[in-house]
Every structure is written in C-alpha cells, then in structure tokens.
Amino acid sequence: MSEPQDPLRTLFRQAGAFGQARAGAAPVARVAERGRRARRRRLAALAAGACLAVAGCGVLAAGLLPGRPTAVAPAVSPSTGPSAPARSGPPPHESPPPDADPTRVGGGAATGTREPGTGTSPTWDHTGPPGS
C-alpha cells in the first residue's frame, strides 16, 4: 500500500517546489490597489446599509402615523359649462345663516338650559363624528 503513495507524494513535492520557486512578494502598487478596492467596497456596503436603514425607518414611521390618506379621484377634462366670472380683491367673509343658534356648538344638542346670571353653561351631548 505504500507503493502508490510514494509516486503521488513525489509529484506533490515537485509541484510545491515549482510553486515556491515562482512565488515572490507582490508589488506594492498591486497591494495598495487591492486595499483601495476593499475600502471602496466597504464604504459602498456601509452607504447601502445606511440607505436601507433610513428607508426602513421612513416606512415604519409612515405605518405608525394615524389614519390613511384617502384615495383621490382621477382628474377629468374641464367641464363645458359657463365659468364663474373672475373676482378682483379678497374673497368675501362668510357669515353664519341668520337662523343659526349662536349658543350651539358642533352637531350635538343641549341637554341643559342656561339660566341668565347663574354662570353655568349647558352640557352638550355630541353625537356627530369627531372633529365636527
């Protein structure tokens, strides 16, 4: 069994001696260039990681915001009806209708009455949607 290993071992030794004879130190310029390429790759990976982190934080923040934006209807061509005349100056101030109750706020109904001179105000039972 030792006979087949001897020729193989000899071939490996010859290959090793040949490689050592041809081996030499790499030129400094080549080593420096490899170092610069490695540094560029590290910086590119760091920049890509930072971009992904910022994008991930943006997605997370958008997901945590309350409410979702409503869908906007697509634009349509302008109407063919008559257009309103252009006004010059600031828009007029809108006033409430004359039949509006100035003591009523929002869409609720008063559950109490206010007595003059008592300093108490009625309580409101607001049954409308929030913010109205």
Side-chain angles (χ1 to χ4, degrees):
M1 215 194 242
S2 63
E3 289 179 20
Q5 289 181 353
D6 288 339
L8 189 59
R9 189 174 291 179
T10 305
L11 288 174
F12 275 119
R13 285 187 182 151
Q14 287 174 355
F18 179 77
Q20 285 180 351
R22 293 193 50 149
V28 175
R30 185 179 296 168
V31 173
E33 179 60 31
R34 284 173 48 195
R36 284 191 291 268
R37 276 188 300 213
R39 184 169 185 258
R40 282 194 302 257
R41 276 191 235 111
R42 280 193 304 267
L43 287 176
L46 181 65
C51 288
L52 288 174
V54 168
C57 289
V59 168
L60 181 64
L64 293 177
L65 288 175
R68 297 283 182 202
T70 58
V72 178
V76 294
S77 61
S79 64
T80 57
S83 61
R87 294 184 185 181
S88 61
H93 177 67
E94 291 186 24
S95 60
D99 60 341
D101 183 7
T103 60
R104 186 171 176 183
V105 178
T111 58
T113 58
R114 184 174 186 175
E115 297 295 328
T118 61
T120 61
S121 61
T123 56
W124 296 95
D125 179 23
H126 186 74
T127 58
S132 64

